[in-house]
Amino acid sequence: MLYVTKEETADSFDTLSWEPGSASMPVSFSRTVGHYTPAMAGTAPSDCAVLFLSPWGFEEMCTRKLWRDLAERFAASGVSSLRFDYPGTGDAPDDMEFPGGLPVWEAAIEAAAAELRRLSGASRLILVGHGLGATFAALNAGSLGPVEGAVLMAPVISGRFYLRELAAWSKMVDDGLGLSDEQRIAAKVSIAGLVMPGEIAAAVRGLSIQAIEAIPARSVLVVHRAARDNEAAFADRLESLGATVTRRDYDGYDDLVSNPTIARQPEAVATAVAAWVASLAADTGTAVHPAMPPAPTIVEGDEFCEEPIRFGPRHRLFGTLCLPKGERRGAAVVLLGTAYDRQAGWARSTVETARYLASNGVVSLRFDAANVGDSPPVADAPGQVLFSAGQQDDVRAAFDLLGGRGLGPAVLAGRCSGAYLAFRSALEEERCLGVVAVNPFTFVWDEDENVEEALRYNPRSLGDYRKRALRADTFRRLASGEIDIRRAAGNICRQLGSRVARSAPSIFWRLSKFGRLRHAVHASFGRLSERHVPMRLIYSETDVGLERYHAYFGADGTGIKAYPGVTVEIVQGADHNMSPPDAKTFLRRHILEMALAAAK
């Protein structure tokens, strides 16, 4: 955990240390929020500290866990680090303007460098950037004071090419979600519902580092993608300018950035980066006179006040309390994350929901469960945490935090795996006053079902297949081989087979696995009904979770009427992530209504 110790030196100053298993310390500066990880206890804090410069958008979501992992590896070598959100992104306030394009982000980078030096006592920095963040490192190093080295991972060489690539990437994500042309954000630079401010996009379009005139540091590690000759040529350019350049193939890049839900960490690359940084920092001496961060860290908007916070045993979880500035109303809301998305949520939907609730007087807590985003894993726990009972311990810690602050009890709200976690936690947590479950994949996990397979090859609903079959674009994708026909056919056959099994007389159900699962689901709903815990089930019209809902409660859903505290809503024209603005508004309103009703 992070703690304060007295160093027996002539000047005797306070320092912070980190121990494995604890989350990093929240800090705020320049209208944004960051995570500071000091050197590990028992190591000599290096006079070099690492400043992380993140990519943008979908790529940032996919690399969030990688940044936390690298920060912990650096700490084990005595190297402190700071990672942060650019203003207007992630958990930073979003009422931002960007005159001139990049100056606001560049000012935040400079403020982050100064904050890192203040906290760590280090005089020199090592910049670690990914994607667009690597480009910022290359271009802005000269304004950050002494920079000992730079790690440039998959750097954006040409901003114009990057935006074209981003547009194609965005279409692939939208196609995967099943969004129609009318539902896409086509007029702006965007991906996965995240919109790059127009002024920022215009400035990025003009970026180019192919003919860079100055090296960011004497020592540079370029982690380049095999098929990108321009990245290798950029490394050549740095070498010609006098930098000592180490080159490393970016093994596992595609598996990392394909989808945050199924992202695989590039272990070999992370190990190489950590070893390079440790070697560079080894001979730079010891940091002196670090400063204590303010406590608590506060981020403010017009109608909310947020406190990024570590909580749980050994401060192992990282989350954000969002408090209304006006009069408090209703019960608090615990906003549970989906899959491995960071606590800000898909397209920042969780941040937006929290601040909407605060504007209506409702407290909320959003957080990363263990081994998700900025919360480290639990020792000896399985690497795959989704749909596991262990995540209920994290929810329990969230209720403990709210209770300790006098803010509980609370209602639970989540989507997909977060909806499953909300449902299962409500069964065990007496302090839960209600549940809003959005597109729950299931209510009882089938132990014969492999979580990895379910996430990677999650079948679409029959309704979704039917809807897509009517689109002209589907025929183009079939002809081009973009659609895996065998897998789609297999999914359809399995769902049709499941429907046939469910149509069998109920006398046979108790003899089948389906019957046992159905009994367990109804027993769970019965327990919540006996406790008078209200629940709102919300589905998009073609969500695959509806297949299981109808399996357990009938094709017409009439079986749910046995539980009077449960309401079911079907949202038309929405995808699994509830991306369209109208769907987001619908969800926020229902969560607010649940919070207000639960306190009566």
Side-chain angles (χ1 to χ4, degrees):
M1 62 194 300
L2 287 164
Y3 63 94
V4 180
T5 61
K6 278 287 187 182
E7 295 292 329
E8 296 301 322
T9 67
D11 297 318
S12 188
F13 54 87
D14 288 335
T15 61
L16 289 170
S17 296
W18 174 85
E19 288 186 351
S22 69
S24 299
M25 174 165 283
V27 294
S28 64
F29 52 89
S30 191
R31 284 185 58 73
T32 190
V33 63
H35 302 253
Y36 174 60
T37 310
M40 189 170 74
T43 64
S46 170
D47 192 38
C48 268
V50 167
L51 178 63
F52 287 95
L53 296 176
S54 298
W56 178 83
F58 192 72
E59 189 178 354
E60 188 275 336
M61 293 172 62
C62 293
T63 56
R64 190 74 179 186
K65 185 175 176 179
L66 173 63
W67 259 202
R68 192 256 304 154
D69 176 57
L70 283 174
E72 293 173 355
R73 293 178 190 236
F74 297 154
S77 299
V79 178
S80 302
S81 66
L82 176 65
R83 55 197 192 271
F84 69 100
D85 293 331
Y86 302 122
T89 71
D91 292 304
D94 37 20
D95 54 336
M96 299 293 299
E97 295 182 357
F98 300 91
L102 290 173
V104 172
W105 284 6
E106 291 170 339
I109 293 171
E110 292 177 16
E115 181 72 359
L116 176 55
R117 282 194 172 92
R118 186 184 73 83
L119 292 172
S120 66
S123 65
R124 288 171 281 188
L125 300 181
I126 298 174
L127 307 180
V128 177
H130 198 291
L132 200 55
T135 306
F136 294 157
L139 293 175
N140 293 283
S143 64
L144 303 181
V147 174
E148 189 75 12
V151 180
L152 309 178
M153 305 176 70
V156 171
I157 306 300
S158 164
R160 188 174 299 276
F161 180 80
Y162 166 73
L163 293 184
R164 289 201 299 267
E165 186 179 54
L166 195 65
W169 196 359
S170 176
K171 191 174 188 308
M172 290 176 60
V173 172
D174 289 346
D175 285 342
L177 293 174
L179 295 177
S180 65
D181 289 340
E182 296 75 21
Q183 292 171 327
R184 292 185 174 123
I185 307 173
K188 300 177 181 179
V189 174
S190 68
I191 185 169
L194 295 164
V195 178
M196 183 179 287
E199 301 92 335
I200 296 287
V204 168
R205 186 173 287 107
L207 292 179
S208 176
I209 58 173
Q210 189 64 70
I212 194 170
E213 294 296 331
I215 59 175
R218 290 176 299 173
S219 297
V220 181
L221 170 61
V222 178
V223 185
H224 55 82
R225 293 167 286 185
R228 303 301 177 95
D229 292 340
N230 60 349
E231 293 177 16
F234 172 64
D236 292 339
R237 174 65 179 174
L238 294 176
E239 209 161 41
S240 72
L241 293 173
T244 300
V245 178
T246 304
R247 303 159 192 262
R248 177 69 165 80
D249 289 339
Y250 203 145
D251 303 320
Y253 173 82
D254 291 336
D255 287 336
L256 173 67
V257 301
S258 61
N259 186 329
T261 300
I262 58 175
R264 291 178 178 170
Q265 299 304 303
E267 291 294 334
V269 168
T271 299
V273 169
W276 188 88
V277 167
S279 177
L280 190 63
D283 300 323
T284 58
T286 305
V288 295
H289 302 298
M292 293 295 294
T297 294
I298 300 296
V299 178
E300 291 194 65
D302 291 340
E303 297 179 295
F304 68 86
C305 180
E306 290 190 337
E307 181 184 347
I309 190 170
R310 300 176 302 129
F311 66 97
R314 302 180 65 215
H315 302 292
R316 64 182 183 82
L317 298 169
F318 188 90
T320 302
L321 271 173
C322 187
L323 307 168
K325 281 191 170 180
E327 180 183 359
R328 183 189 165 198
R329 302 193 298 155
V333 178
V334 177
L335 298 165
L336 300 175
T338 299
Y340 289 101
D341 293 350
R342 59 174 294 193
Q343 62 160 329
W346 181 269
R348 299 185 77 214
S349 57
T350 310
V351 166
E352 294 170 354
T353 297
R355 293 170 185 175
Y356 166 80
L357 293 173
S359 70
N360 286 277
V362 174
V363 173
S364 68
L365 171 65
R366 61 185 187 272
F367 69 97
D368 292 332
N371 206 18
V372 175
D374 293 304
S375 293
V378 174
D380 301 322
Q384 175 56 265
V385 298
L386 302 184
F387 298 101
S388 72
Q391 286 198 317
Q392 294 175 35
D393 293 336
D394 303 337
V395 176
R396 190 173 302 110
F399 274 98
D400 291 343
L401 169 65
L402 292 173
R405 293 290 188 97
L407 300 172
V411 302
L412 293 168
R415 177 179 61 80
C416 191
S417 61
Y420 172 85
L421 179 58
F423 180 77
R424 302 310 305 177
S425 296
L427 289 167
E428 307 301 327
E429 182 52 71
E430 295 288 340
R431 293 169 290 182
C432 176
L433 300 180
V435 175
V436 179
V438 182
N439 284 332
F441 180 66
T442 188
F443 301 102
V444 174
W445 188 256
D446 179 359
E447 295 300 330
D448 293 332
E449 191 167 9
N450 183 280
V451 176
E452 292 282 353
E453 289 292 311
L455 294 174
R456 190 168 291 275
Y457 306 119
N458 185 16
R460 305 185 188 282
S461 69
L462 292 176
D464 195 20
Y465 281 122
R466 186 162 47 246
K467 183 177 178 181
R468 287 167 182 260
L470 300 176
R471 294 182 185 170
D473 186 62
T474 300
F475 294 99
R476 177 193 63 76
R477 297 179 65 213
L478 280 169
S480 65
E482 295 177 39
I483 296 176
D484 188 330
I485 299 176
R486 289 184 59 188
R487 177 163 289 123
N491 289 337
I492 292 171
C493 289
R494 280 191 293 273
Q495 291 188 55
L496 288 173
S498 178
R499 287 191 177 187
V500 171
R502 299 196 306 263
S503 66
S506 58
I507 191 173
F508 298 114
W509 285 357
R510 60 187 166 196
L511 303 178
S512 67
K513 181 175 69 175
F514 164 72
R516 294 191 294 273
L517 291 172
R518 183 181 183 278
H519 174 77
V521 168
H522 279 267
S524 296
F525 273 83
R527 286 171 55 194
L528 291 178
S529 182
E530 289 173 1
R531 284 174 41 206
H532 305 290
V533 177
M535 179 182 304
R536 297 191 181 188
L537 297 177
I538 301 174
Y539 290 96
S540 53
E541 60 177 325
T542 59
D543 193 75
V544 68
L546 276 172
E547 294 292 330
R548 301 198 185 208
Y549 170 77
H550 289 307
Y552 297 135
F553 299 106
D556 56 2
T558 54
I560 202 70
K561 293 180 179 179
Y563 311 105
V566 181
T567 61
V568 182
E569 299 272 3
I570 308 297
V571 182
Q572 304 297 316
D575 62 306
H576 178 71
N577 289 355
M578 295 288 180
S579 301
D582 289 347
K584 290 181 180 179
T585 300
F586 179 88
L587 292 184
R588 290 175 200 151
R589 188 175 69 247
H590 275 273
I591 294 172
L592 174 63
E593 289 173 356
M594 175 67 80
L596 296 178
K600 293 180 179 178

